[in-house]
Amino acid sequence: MADIELKVTEVRDLTPNIKMFELVAAQGGDLPAFEAGAHIDIRMANGLTRSYSLSNDPTERHRYVTAILKDMKGQGGSKWMHENVKPGDVLWATEPLQNFPLNEGATKSLLLAGGIGITPILAMGYRLRATGAPMHLYYCTRSPEDTAFMDEVKQVFGADVTFTHDGGDPSKGLKLTEVFKDYEPGTHLYVCGPGGLLRAVRDAIAHWPEDAVHFELFSSSRTDEQAAEIASRENQPFEVELARSGVTLTIPPDRSILDVLIEEGFGVPYACEEGWCGACMIPLLGGKADHRDEVLTDGEKQANEKIQVCVSRAMPGEKLVLDM
Ligand code: FES
């Protein structure tokens, strides 16, 4: 999939730390269509590529809208966007990618957004409103001033939204165990927000069926201990066969499959390189993988039919066969 050239038409402060960016096709005309929940990976002049969810109505073809939180602890992607990008600039990005689709067969859709996590959830609201499907949004932020897209959210969700402001103290936030106490068959829950919220939700919905809950990560939700455990695992070299091109590659202990694919000239989309954004997923045809990502569910890891090549490796003695 070739990258697309986008022109910035508007940059606006939504909150003290969140800016909205409106992008159109640099050469004019329609943009590639997107579904609710999709994101684009923006290539930045500082060499970083970062994923940003689209928030606008998916029926719009003339623009993409995204919102970006300035993350001072990050590697500089959001800081670069905040400090450098202005109307009239041209950016390169992937076509819309989808890791967070709506299940349109749901009898009811519950949406939970924490802070900047509202971006894909807002697009989902547009889609659900258009289909007339029952929905309810729980939108959690620190304060009304920190609530991006407040008016648009009210317009899209009408009475089907609950705002919660915790003033920076998660114990004063939404009572997740109460809100998600009962699971009604046919309900699907979509969650997008920071790692702490996602971990709390995972605990609160442990009794829900795994395939009824969908998470979109904006950064790793692992605790420091979990990250340290994975980093401490001893890596072995292993082979990867590319079924369609007939090439076999050796992955050394200190390199990822993604590193070697890129070095060998195979184009693979990627963004976070840490196993949480979903960009680098490749269908897996053979071999048992050591799945180290946060994108696939436990069930998907068990099924072993796809792999995030930026972090996952082969189980000892296994050779992986990729569909590429
Ligand atoms: S690049 Fe983000 S999961 Fe692999």
Side-chain angles (χ1 to χ4, degrees), residues 27-145:
Q27 311 302 333
D30 280 352
L31 289 161
F34 71 98
E35 292 174 3
H39 67 273
I40 55 172
D41 291 343
I42 297 181
R43 320 265 183 224
M44 297 173 196
N46 60 1
L48 294 175
T49 297
R50 285 292 174 267
S51 302
Y52 295 112
S53 295
L54 303 178
S55 66
N56 54 314
D57 184 340
T59 60
E60 292 183 342
R61 295 293 304 273
H62 67 290
R63 64 175 191 156
Y64 297 147
V65 176
T66 189
I68 301 178
L69 169 72
K70 192 172 184 179
D71 178 3
M72 300 312 288
K73 290 190 299 207
Q75 291 170 301
S78 62
K79 191 164 175 279
W80 187 85
M81 288 292 295
H82 269 242
E83 292 174 3
N84 294 280
V85 175
K86 52 190 186 316
D89 285 355
V90 166
L91 296 170
W92 287 90
T94 60
E95 290 189 16
L97 302 164
Q98 178 61 294
N99 294 329
F100 194 40
L102 278 171
N103 181 324
E104 302 217 351
T107 51
K108 181 165 191 182
S109 299
L110 298 179
L111 310 161
L112 173 58
I116 190 64
I118 190 63
T119 43
I121 298 282
L122 182 52
M124 289 176 158
Y126 276 109
R127 174 64 190 159
L128 291 167
R129 192 188 62 176
T131 62
M135 62 174 171
H136 192 88
L137 166 66
Y138 298 93
Y139 185 9
C140 310
T141 62
R142 177 186 284 259
S143 69
E145 298 69 45

Side-chain angles (χ1 to χ4, degrees), residues 51 258 269-281 293-295 308-311:
S51 302
L258 178 67
Y270 65 94
C272 72
E273 297 180 69
E274 293 175 351
W276 53 262
C277 77
C280 68
M281 189 184 294
D293 63 276
E294 298 171 73
V295 178
Q308 300 299 142
V309 291
C310 65
V311 290

Side-chain angles (χ1 to χ4, degrees), residues 112 176 180 189 191 196-206 213 215:
L112 173 58
L176 297 169
F180 300 119
L189 170 63
V191 188
L197 176 73
L198 268 55
R199 282 196 293 277
V201 174
R202 281 186 206 279
D203 289 344
I205 51 92
V213 188
F215 291 97

Side-chain angles (χ1 to χ4, degrees), residues 158-295:
D160 294 314
V161 57
T162 304
F163 292 97
T164 310
H165 309 298
D166 67 8
D169 176 357
S171 70
K172 300 203 172 76
L174 190 67
K175 301 289 175 254
L176 297 169
T177 44
E178 282 167 34
V179 172
F180 300 119
K181 180 160 56 77
D182 299 318
Y183 167 70
E184 282 174 35
T187 300
H188 280 253
L189 170 63
Y190 302 85
V191 188
C192 187
L197 176 73
L198 268 55
R199 282 196 293 277
V201 174
R202 281 186 206 279
D203 289 344
I205 51 92
H207 56 297
W208 284 46
E210 194 178 83
D211 60 2
V213 188
H214 313 271
F215 291 97
E216 172 80 323
L217 302 181
F218 274 3
S219 61
S220 174
S221 70
R222 286 190 171 125
T223 60
D224 291 347
E225 292 73 31
Q226 288 168 327
E229 188 277 317
I230 289 175
S232 69
R233 287 187 203 167
E234 204 168 309
N235 290 340
Q236 301 296 327
F238 60 96
E239 286 192 335
V240 169
E241 182 186 324
L242 310 183
R244 278 187 273 143
S245 38
V247 173
T248 296
L249 303 169
T250 300
I251 315 298
D254 60 341
R255 314 292 309 279
S256 67
I257 303 174
L258 178 67
D259 290 338
V260 176
L261 286 174
I262 291 172
E263 197 173 85
E264 295 295 325
F266 293 96
V268 182
Y270 65 94
C272 72
E273 297 180 69
E274 293 175 351
W276 53 262
C277 77
C280 68
M281 189 184 294
I282 294 180
L284 181 61
L285 302 176
K288 180 83 190 89
D290 176 4
H291 295 284
R292 299 182 179 186
D293 63 276
E294 298 171 73
V295 178

